[in-house]
């Protein structure tokens, strides 16, 4: 029987999921003709044109935006503990069209910053490897992107230089962007295995990226990043680079390349559109062996020196796809799309050596609501066999039962409700099997972290 506190938390979340969308449902009734200004509920930004300021700046090549994402996330069972937390992130962005601003065709300057607030649902409630939400991070006000991009020969060649993230363009599923769990963005394998989680939210790092488009269908990407976004030190790497202004360039190298092939993208295409990608990355830092010390003895052995064997470099290969499989007649993008992604990495130097995710994204499941989307997705993180062997060694040498790590599995169902032109409400449900990969619960000694059932709601406001 659920406790009163658990029922109360569920009631709060249910109210947010049900009442808030109903409160803004009058957006459905707003109407404006093409020759009239959009109503408050229809405009893309809540603050509109700010008395003509946006239009004035756009004429000079400057575009700015402000977005707030706020979430209420509750863990109803399992995980580290039950309860509910609030978290949020405010993103400010400024883009300068260099052609309009100073007469450099094809140039763009971009800067953005985050103000991250609230409490982490992953750290405080769940303890999963696949971070519960894509904005879940240590509280901070931090610089994020700061780069210049230049196009050459039309759009055939693009060069980006500055500080930015690999997950802006690499290892992405278009249809996966709908989901709240971060694993559908930058996947869990590199987030777990790379130093400081790699060049991905909330940590960016200096880099250079090249994109070549030999044909309309084929795009080739390659990028070089600093190999470790956080400076040397002990503790949370997000705190070590708390402001995002470390601009570190001496952390080894992270090199990633990707080929993308898009089909049926043009307006005259008769088939359903899809995008297929294959890529690989390598990191030149040293990585500790996940089981053995420098002599080849298990690190769990009482006679081990406790200094792990070091491996030079780490790497991974991956493939992704996004494919529309059904389209509503008379529309361009309303329909059901499926997506998937798979990655592999060596076991001897990584906590995870295999990862897969996938699902479906239904744009406009209700025909009268063309901007809504619904999705079902899954994520699978395998624990490396070498880590499993290390756990068995612990049990052997201590003579005590010890849980053997194996895998973590995520299921997510979500619905994105376009309440107004500037407001989205997104109720979400997640079920995580073996949070942390079947590991001891640091909050409840003697137990592993149990399966977690998570309900939440996200509100996204464009100011």
């Amino acid at each position: 029987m659920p406790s009163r506190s658990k029922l109360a938390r569920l009631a709060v979340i249910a109210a947010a999921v049900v009442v808030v969308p109903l409160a803004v449902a009058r957006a459905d009734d707003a109407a404006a003709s093409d020759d009239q200004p959009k109503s408050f509920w229809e405009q893309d930004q809540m603050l509109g044109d700010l008395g003509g300021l946006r239009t004035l700046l756009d004429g000079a090549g400057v575009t700015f935006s402000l977005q707030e994402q706020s979430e209420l996330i509750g863990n109803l069972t399992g995980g580290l503990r039950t309860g509910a937390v609030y978290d949020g992130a405010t993103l400010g962005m400024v883009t300068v069209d260099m052609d309009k601003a100073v007469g450099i065709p094809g140039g763009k300057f971009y800067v953005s910053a985050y103000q991250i607030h609230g409490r982490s649902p992953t750290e405080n409630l769940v303890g999963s490897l696949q971070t519960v939400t894509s904005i879940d991070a240590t509280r901070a006000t931090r610089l994020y992107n700061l780069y210049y991009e230049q196009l050459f020969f039309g759009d055939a060649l693009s060069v980006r230089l500055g500080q930015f993230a690999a997950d802006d363009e690499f290892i992405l599923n278009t249809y996966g962007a709908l989901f709240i769990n971060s694993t559908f963005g930058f996947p869990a394998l590199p987030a777990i295995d790379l130093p400081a989680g790699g060049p991905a939210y909330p940590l960016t790092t200096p880099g250079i990226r090249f994109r070549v488009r030999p044909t309309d269908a084929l795009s080739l990407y390659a990028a070089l990043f600093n190999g470790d976004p956080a400076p040397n030190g002990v503790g949370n790497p997000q705190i070590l680079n708390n402001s995002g202004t470390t601009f570190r360039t001496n952390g080894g190298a992270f090199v990633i390349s990707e080929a993308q092939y898009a089909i049926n993208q043009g307006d005259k295409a008769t088939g359903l559109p899809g995008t297929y990608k294959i890529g690989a990355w390598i990191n030149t830092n040293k990585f500790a062996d996940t089981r053995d010390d420098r002599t080849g003895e298990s690190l769990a052995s009482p006679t081990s020196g406790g200094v792990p064997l070091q491996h030079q470099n780490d790497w991974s290969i991956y493939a992704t796809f996004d494919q529309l499989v059904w389209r509503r007649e008379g529309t361009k993008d309303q329909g059901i799309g499926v997506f998937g992604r798979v990655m592999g990495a060596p076991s001897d130097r990584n906590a995870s050596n295999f990862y897969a995710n996938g699902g479906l994204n239904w744009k406009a499941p209700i025909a009268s609501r063309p901007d809504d989307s619904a999705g079902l997705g899954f994520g699978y993180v395998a624990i490396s066999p070498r880590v499993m062997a290390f756990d068995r060694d612990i049990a052997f040498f201590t003579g005590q039962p010890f849980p053997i790590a194996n895998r973590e599995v995520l299921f997510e169902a979500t619905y994105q409700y376009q309440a107004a032109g500037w407001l989205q409400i997104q109720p979400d449900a997640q079920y995580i099997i073996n949070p942390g990969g079947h590991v001891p619960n640091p909050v409840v000694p003697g137990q592993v972290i149990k399966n977690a059932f998570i309900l939440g709601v996200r509100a996204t406001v464009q100011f």
Side-chain angles (χ1 to χ4, degrees):
M1 185 72 178
S3 66
R4 290 185 179 180
S5 61
K6 185 179 293 186
L7 290 173
R9 290 191 292 269
L10 180 59
V12 170
I13 295 171
V17 171
V18 177
V19 176
V20 174
L22 291 176
V24 297
R26 55 177 171 166
D28 298 338
D29 301 325
S33 64
D34 292 339
D35 58 351
Q36 292 180 336
K38 291 182 178 180
S39 73
F40 173 72
W41 295 104
E42 291 179 313
Q43 61 193 18
D44 295 333
Q45 291 90 22
M46 186 179 73
L47 301 180
D49 196 32
L50 293 173
L53 177 61
R54 292 186 194 270
T55 299
L56 179 65
L57 290 174
D58 183 65
V62 179
T63 303
F64 75 93
S65 61
L66 188 66
Q67 172 189 278
E68 165 67 21
Q69 289 188 310
S70 293
E71 300 170 337
L72 178 63
I73 305 294
N75 180 36
L76 303 187
T77 184
L80 299 175
R81 57 174 66 86
T82 58
V85 298
Y86 163 82
D87 71 319
T90 306
L91 174 62
M93 300 167 284
V94 175
T95 305
V96 180
D97 182 328
M98 301 300 287
D99 190 10
K100 288 184 178 181
V102 294
I104 303 176
K108 181 178 74 172
F109 176 77
Y110 186 82
V111 61
S112 65
Y114 273 102
Q115 206 297 308
I116 303 167
H117 40 277
R119 301 176 65 209
S120 163
T122 306
E123 180 180 336
N124 289 281
L125 301 177
V126 182
S128 57
L129 298 172
Q130 298 170 97
T131 306
V132 173
T133 91
S134 58
I135 63 172
D136 187 336
T138 302
R139 284 177 282 189
T141 299
R142 63 170 59 250
L143 177 69
Y144 193 61
N145 285 322
L146 179 65
Y147 65 81
Y148 180 83
E149 184 172 353
Q150 181 66 50
L151 301 180
F152 300 92
F153 315 112
D155 194 26
L157 172 64
S158 167
V159 180
R160 178 181 294 184
L161 178 65
Q163 176 163 282
F164 52 100
D167 63 341
D168 286 348
E169 299 176 299
F170 291 91
I171 332 179
L172 294 180
N173 281 118
T174 302
Y175 291 130
L178 168 68
F179 295 86
I180 283 180
N181 192 288
S182 70
T183 200
F184 296 103
F186 198 60
L189 184 147
I192 296 167
D193 292 343
L194 287 172
Y201 175 87
L203 294 176
T204 51
T205 192
I208 183 169
R209 187 273 288 149
F210 299 90
R211 187 199 68 211
V212 180
R213 286 183 172 157
T215 70
D216 290 340
L218 180 63
S219 298
L220 304 175
Y221 287 76
L224 168 65
F225 293 91
N226 175 56
D228 186 349
N232 293 329
V234 178
N236 187 337
Q238 296 179 30
I239 295 177
L240 295 176
N241 186 5
N242 198 48
S243 65
T245 57
T246 299
F247 303 121
R248 192 177 185 213
T249 58
N250 61 345
F254 174 75
V255 181
I256 184 168
S257 62
E258 183 174 291
Q260 304 179 3
Y261 188 73
I263 62 173
N264 300 321
Q265 300 293 315
D267 292 335
K268 297 181 180 180
T270 57
L272 296 175
T275 304
Y276 298 81
K277 307 174 184 179
I278 186 169
W281 56 256
I282 184 170
N283 188 295
T284 65
N285 282 289
K286 289 185 176 181
F287 293 81
D289 194 278
T290 49
R291 184 194 184 200
D292 291 346
D293 65 15
R294 291 184 297 180
T295 68
E297 188 174 12
S298 173
L299 290 161
S301 171
T303 60
S304 170
V307 180
L309 174 69
Q310 296 294 307
H311 299 277
Q312 189 67 52
N313 302 332
D314 194 8
W315 55 270
S316 173
I317 57 174
Y318 63 89
T320 81
F321 75 90
D322 291 90
Q323 179 64 56
L324 191 68
V325 295
W326 173 78
R327 179 164 52 196
R328 182 173 284 119
E329 186 176 356
T331 69
K332 182 178 180 181
D333 61 353
Q334 294 181 25
I336 298 175
V338 295
F339 67 95
R341 181 169 50 181
V342 62
M343 303 185 71
S347 173
D348 60 359
R349 67 204 69 184
N350 291 304
S352 175
N353 70 316
F354 179 78
Y355 169 84
N357 78 319
L360 64 86
N361 179 325
W362 190 350
K363 178 73 180 292
I366 302 171
S368 61
R369 298 199 52 81
D371 296 321
D372 287 4
S373 294
L376 296 172
F378 77 90
Y380 177 93
V381 182
I383 302 301
S384 296
R386 297 274 288 183
V387 174
M388 298 170 66
F390 175 73
D391 289 345
R392 294 188 186 97
D393 292 344
I394 293 177
F396 174 78
F397 286 114
T398 62
Q400 300 294 325
F402 190 83
I404 309 303
N406 47 36
R407 68 191 65 86
E408 178 183 284
V409 184
L410 159 76
F411 297 97
E412 180 174 353
T414 196
Y415 190 94
Q416 192 174 82
Y417 178 88
Q418 192 72 41
W422 45 269
L423 173 64
Q424 291 176 338
I425 303 294
Q426 187 169 354
D428 186 81
Q430 300 178 36
Y431 189 74
I432 302 179
I433 301 172
N434 290 339
H438 193 246
V439 297
N441 188 334
V443 178
V444 185
Q447 295 185 10
V448 297
I449 304 178
K450 296 182 179 180
N451 300 349
F453 179 48
I454 303 150
L455 288 180
V457 61
R458 169 184 286 181
T460 302
V461 180
Q462 304 289 344
F463 292 98

